[in-house]
């Protein structure tokens, strides 16, 4: 079934997502602040819009794939924003990673305008966007998810995790587990090395067992090779642990492991390593132990 | 190439390991404190010995698969111990999980007797033992590993991680990463649930991404179902984090995440949950937050 979709934000993630929607037979109209990539998308079959408002006209779903919450708010709800062009009953699907309260506020605003809302942030990066294999964590009503599930399937694996805001919450949980696993693998490899074992061999021996993870395999290798070109910069990882702990505090929840991990990433950023890949947290662990880097 | 192997300790792990050695064409003579399982092993082709000393006679390698370090020491080096029957140049392969210093002391003792030594603890449990898919972390000389690598391959994936004691160190690293990942997944699922998401759906959404792990998949499911029949009892997990941190302290190494995780498991045992599966650490996290269990 073909869906007519408006898409705002055709950057590194957005552009390949639009291509996958077109390849799956959907009709896509796009708007982007800069003209970069738009020519190629037009050749692939996307309709180019002149104004944010135009991108909402006639579509069943309007996707936002922008860098942050305020930018989404402005282009959705600002003067000449895209929701002004949407018909009642259409849905707004925010796939950017934004704070949970911002997503809930957007949902309420959409409800006031007679629009459906989903927050549906993704994990899997540029490669996942290109291959259509993104993990998609969707928050919103059953009806809104049911309406979007089909075309979201062209982008990856959509899972409905709860009401509005819960997609963003699931993304925070994802980031928190990634951060803590990074710190944990760093501690394990450092213990192996300091104890006189070959950490690369230990990593190899552990792969396939209960200590295994994509972090052990991929980031563990970076920790050993010392290649910390990002990837995911440590300063973004720290922003995510900050946001997750703020959300936990809001819920009255103490997360003792995450608190230590957040401190470690904070110290890493303060030490000037914020632009390194987050696997570079092993450097902070060495610094903490007054070891040579 | 067929190797003649002596095997001490034919319990839940040892018995299927002996079967796999026999199935691979090796000659195996066994001794066990209790007669349980010995009849079946004899039918499978194992030679039964009457005394620990007999099990070392004529073999190229002597395997110890016993519950702890003192038991290994007694049956290897005690009066009528198995090393007394070994010819010079034979090797002792301790596959039990024992402290790093105990393994190093055993290696020194073997050297004094003209014997080779490997510490080669395993991960993968009863199922790994049965299927011949154990992760085998071997510490010892290059020569000792080269001599054992062939027949160890009948039991799983042997990796030479460093000199004597390093097999045990790698096992500690394995246990530490498992413990910290358990605590991390528990924190993530609890945050999801308290924030109003469906934690089972969040777990499903995260599988396949960077937050994925066997712990998220298998133990995450136990955390959500509340089925904490062991599995791996929390009290053993706590013993392992204690041992790993003692080893780290010996090396002058502070591991801030592991320290918090160790405290969490310690409190779990103190609260009376030590016999539950280690996935039950989510209960301790709830207790810590004064939430209903």
């Amino acid at each position: 079934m073909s869906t007519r979709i408006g898409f705002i934000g055709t950057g590194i993630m957005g552009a390949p997502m639009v291509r996958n929607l077109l390849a799956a037979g959907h009709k896509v109209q796009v708007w982007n602040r800069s003209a970069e990539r738009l020519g190629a998308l037009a050749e692939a079959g996307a309709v180019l819009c002149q104004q944010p408002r135009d991108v909402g006209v006639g579509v069943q779903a309007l996707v936002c794939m922008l860098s942050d919450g305020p930018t989404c708010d402005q282009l959705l709800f600002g003067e000449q924003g895209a929701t002004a062009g949407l018909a009642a009953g259409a849905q707004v699907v925010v796939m950017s990673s934004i704070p949970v309260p911002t997503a809930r506020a957007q949902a309420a605003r959409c409800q006031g305008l007679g629009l459906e809302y989903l927050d549906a942030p993704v994990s899997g990066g540029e490669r996942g966007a290109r291959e259509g294999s993104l993990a998609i964590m969707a928050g919103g009503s059953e009806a809104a998810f049911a309406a979007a599930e089909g075309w979201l399937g062209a982008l990856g694996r959509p899972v409905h995790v709860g009401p509005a805001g819960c997609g963003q919450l699931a993304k925070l949980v994802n980031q928190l587990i990634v951060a803590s696993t990074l710190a944990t693998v760093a501690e394990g490899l450092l213990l192996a090395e300091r104890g006189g074992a070959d950490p690369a061999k230990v990593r190899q021996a552990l792969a396939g067992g209960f200590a295994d993870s994509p972090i052990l395999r991929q980031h563990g290798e970076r920790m050993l090779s010392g290649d910390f070109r990002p990837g995911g910069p440590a300063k973004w990882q720290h922003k995510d642990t900050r946001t997750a702990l703020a959300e936990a505090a809001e819920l009255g929840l103490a997360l003792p492991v995450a608190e230590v991990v957040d401190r470690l990433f904070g110290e890493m950023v303060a030490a000037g390593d914020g632009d390194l890949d987050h696997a570079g947290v092993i450097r902070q662990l060495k610094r903490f132990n007054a070891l040579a880097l």
Side-chain angles (χ1 to χ4, degrees), chain A residues 43-57:
Chain A
E43 274 172 44
V47 173
L48 308 189
C49 296
Q50 296 308 310
Q51 302 291 337
R53 186 191 171 118
D54 301 340
V55 82
V57 175

Side-chain angles (χ1 to χ4, degrees), chain A residues 35-270:
Chain A
E36 215 187 332
R37 294 188 190 80
L38 285 182
L41 289 179
E43 274 172 44
V47 173
L48 308 189
C49 296
Q50 296 308 310
Q51 302 291 337
R53 186 191 171 118
D54 301 340
V55 82
V57 175
V59 302
Q60 293 152 274
L62 175 69
V63 177
C64 235
M65 192 65 198
L66 299 158
S67 56
D68 57 35
T71 312
C72 288
D73 277 341
Q74 189 208 326
L75 289 170
L76 285 173
F77 306 111
E79 213 181 322
Q80 299 297 316
T83 54
L86 285 176
Q91 61 180 182
V92 171
V93 182
V94 173
M95 303 190 75
S96 312
S97 292
I98 61 175
V100 176
T102 305
R104 293 204 175 115
Q106 290 177 346
R109 212 152 164 184
C110 283
Q111 191 169 30
L113 296 167
L115 302 169
E116 295 277 2
Y117 179 86
L118 276 184
D119 57 305
V122 301
S123 172
E126 193 184 344
R127 184 173 162 175
R130 219 169 42 235
E131 296 179 350
S133 63
L134 293 166
I136 303 170
M137 297 151 268
S141 70
E142 292 282 357
F145 182 73
E149 192 176 5
W151 61 264
L152 281 174
L155 305 176
R157 296 175 295 103
V159 179
H160 185 214
V161 296
C166 284
Q168 300 297 342
L169 182 67
K171 177 76 191 276
L172 286 179
V173 169
N174 184 79
Q175 301 305 87
L176 204 55
I177 292 179
V178 166
S180 296
T181 309
L182 282 164
T184 290
V185 167
E187 288 192 351
L189 294 178
L190 191 59
L191 175 58
E193 187 212 303
R194 298 302 295 175
D198 177 342
K201 291 298 187 71
V202 171
R203 175 177 152 274
Q204 183 189 332
L206 268 45
F210 275 123
D212 201 2
S213 64
I215 300 292
L216 178 76
R217 288 180 187 241
Q218 294 179 46
H219 297 81
E221 187 172 17
R222 303 181 77 142
M223 290 179 196
L224 297 175
S225 71
D227 176 5
F228 299 128
R229 282 171 298 182
K235 63 186 177 190
W236 294 359
Q237 184 68 78
H238 184 234
K239 182 174 75 86
D240 288 338
T241 56
R242 291 273 75 195
T243 310
L245 284 174
E247 190 60 30
E250 195 70 32
L251 297 164
L253 201 58
L255 302 177
V257 177
E259 280 156 22
V260 170
V261 170
D262 172 66
R263 202 149 60 234
L264 208 53
F265 276 100
E267 288 161 1
M268 177 179 177
V269 173

Side-chain angles (χ1 to χ4, degrees), chain A residues 21-49:
Chain A
L21 289 170
L22 290 167
H26 302 294
K27 295 188 180 66
V28 189
Q29 54 199 51
V30 306
W31 183 84
N32 198 50
R33 196 179 289 276
S34 83
E36 215 187 332
R37 294 188 190 80
L38 285 182
L41 289 179
E43 274 172 44
V47 173
L48 308 189
C49 296

